[in-house]
């Protein structure tokens, strides 16, 4: 059984014990499901998910406690013991730190409560990649600037804005690439803040529309990685894979050219939707043969 399958079983076990059985989570059972010691499991969980296992469980308890407070007449003392707190006082303190208000305020007021949803472990991606020499081409489109730490929220927002404003459909109609589709282009700026310029573009040969910009991509060799699944999750998972594994090991030098994302024409929410990451590389074998 692969790690992702084991982890999904453990997540389901946690939810079952918190919501249905309302029983404490047994570390020994988790160790058996993980196939390793509980301490080692916690280290792997934290590394893979960016959050500690105990913290995730605590966040889920307090999320569910918020649901109970707003949707039932259970007493605070009963809810506190239900989710494993030694006393209503310790529960109230944890609840306030998480939600920003006391249980009483949450129950009586028209307030927004914080939610940490159940973690979903997707089937492990299998990445196919190839080296491909491509001639130079011209991209046209729109750009936005964002801080590096905001890219996973700002870039999907920018795509949504392009769709709503008609930029998306305009670029599709102007595109002359074969195959068709749109590109995402990412470049780091020179500012101390390390801002990123991200562009949504299409390969096009015609006149440049007013308000649009163009970028010339030179002839280059590309390492092209297929990402299968709905976006933006599939493309974000692809970048994570590249940053954690391929980019630290690949035997090529990075060419002086922006990295690209390519999005095919089709239903971008489909589980089989194809997007790609293009990394410009200097092919050492090709250089030697010149």
């Amino acid at each position: 059984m692969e790690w992702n399958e084991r982890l999904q079983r453990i997540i389901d076990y946690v939810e079952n014990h918190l919501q249905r059985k309302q029983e404490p989570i047994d570390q020994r059972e988790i160790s058996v499901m993980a196939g390793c010691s509980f301490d080692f499991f916690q280290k792997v969980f934290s590394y893979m998910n960016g959050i500690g296992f105990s913290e995730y469980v605590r966040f889920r308890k307090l999320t569910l406690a918020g649901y109970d407070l707003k949707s039932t007449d259970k007493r605070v003392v009963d809810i506190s013991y239900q989710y494993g707190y030694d006393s209503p006082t310790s529960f109230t303190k944890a609840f306030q730190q998480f939600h920003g208000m006391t249980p009483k305020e949450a129950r009586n007021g028209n307030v927004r409560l914080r939610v940490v949803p159940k973690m979903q472990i997707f089937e492990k991606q299998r990445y196919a990649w190839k080296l491909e020499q491509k001639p130079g081409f011209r991209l046209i489109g729109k750009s936005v600037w964002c801080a590096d730490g905001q890219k996973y929220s700002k870039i999907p927002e920018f795509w949504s804005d392009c769709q709503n404003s008609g930029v998306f459909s305009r670029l599709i109609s102007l595109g002359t690439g074969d195959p068709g589709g749109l590109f995402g282009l990412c470049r780091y700026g020179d500012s101390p803040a390390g801002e990123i310029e991200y562009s949504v573009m299409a390969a096009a040969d015609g006149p440049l529309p007013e308000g649009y910009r163009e970028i010339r991509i030179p002839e280059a060799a590309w390492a092209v990685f297929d990402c299968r699944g709905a976006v933006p999750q599939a493309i974000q998972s692809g970048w994570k894979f590249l940053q954690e594994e391929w980019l630290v090991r690949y035997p090529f030098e990075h060419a002086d050219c922006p990295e690209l994302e390519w999005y095919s024409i089709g239903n971008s929410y489909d589980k089989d939707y194809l997007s790609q990451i293009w990394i410009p590389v200097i092919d050492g074998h090709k250089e030697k043969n010149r």
Side-chain angles (χ1 to χ4, degrees), residues 34-58:
C36 59
S37 71
F38 183 73
D39 287 342
F40 185 76
F41 161 75
Q42 289 188 103
K43 292 178 181 178
V44 176
F45 183 97
S46 178
Y47 173 77
M48 288 186 64
N49 301 294
I51 184 174
F53 179 69
S54 60
E55 187 177 37
Y56 169 75
V57 172
R58 178 165 57 87

Side-chain angles (χ1 to χ4, degrees), residues 149-195:
Q150 298 176 321
K151 61 185 178 182
Y152 289 127
S153 60
K154 286 283 189 180
I155 291 175
E157 287 178 9
F158 182 54
W159 275 94
S160 180
D161 291 343
C162 288
Q163 287 179 306
N164 295 334
S165 65
V167 170
F168 188 94
S169 56
R170 180 80 184 278
L171 288 174
I172 291 290
S173 66
L174 293 173
T176 55
D178 184 20
L182 294 180
F183 287 88
L185 184 150
C186 186
R187 296 196 293 189
Y188 283 86
D190 297 326
S191 68
E195 286 188 315

Side-chain angles (χ1 to χ4, degrees), residues 115-155:
V115 172
V116 172
K118 174 186 174 182
M119 187 178 291
Q120 296 292 338
I121 309 301
F122 298 96
E123 182 180 355
K124 185 177 180 181
Q125 289 259 11
R126 290 178 172 82
Y127 296 99
W129 72 284
K130 60 184 177 181
L131 278 179
E132 200 169 337
Q133 187 74 24
K134 295 180 180 290
F137 56 99
R138 170 180 176 256
L139 294 176
I140 64 170
K142 297 273 190 176
S143 302
V144 68
W145 287 88
C146 63
D148 194 8
Q150 298 176 321
K151 61 185 178 182
Y152 289 127
S153 60
K154 286 283 189 180
I155 291 175

Side-chain angles (χ1 to χ4, degrees), residues 81-108:
Y81 292 135
Q82 175 183 329
Y83 290 106
Y85 286 86
D86 296 330
S87 68
T89 301
S90 61
F91 169 72
T92 297
K93 182 178 179 180
F95 189 95
Q96 188 166 14
Q97 289 177 338
F98 182 75
H99 289 287
M101 68 194 75
T102 66
K104 182 178 180 180
E105 291 169 337
R107 171 162 278 169
N108 297 335

Side-chain angles (χ1 to χ4, degrees), residues 18 30 36 58 68 111 118 137 153 156 165 212 256-257 277:
L18 291 182
I30 290 177
C36 59
R58 178 165 57 87
D68 288 343
V111 295
K118 174 186 174 182
F137 56 99
S153 60
S165 65
Y212 288 67
D256 185 19
C257 184
I277 296 173

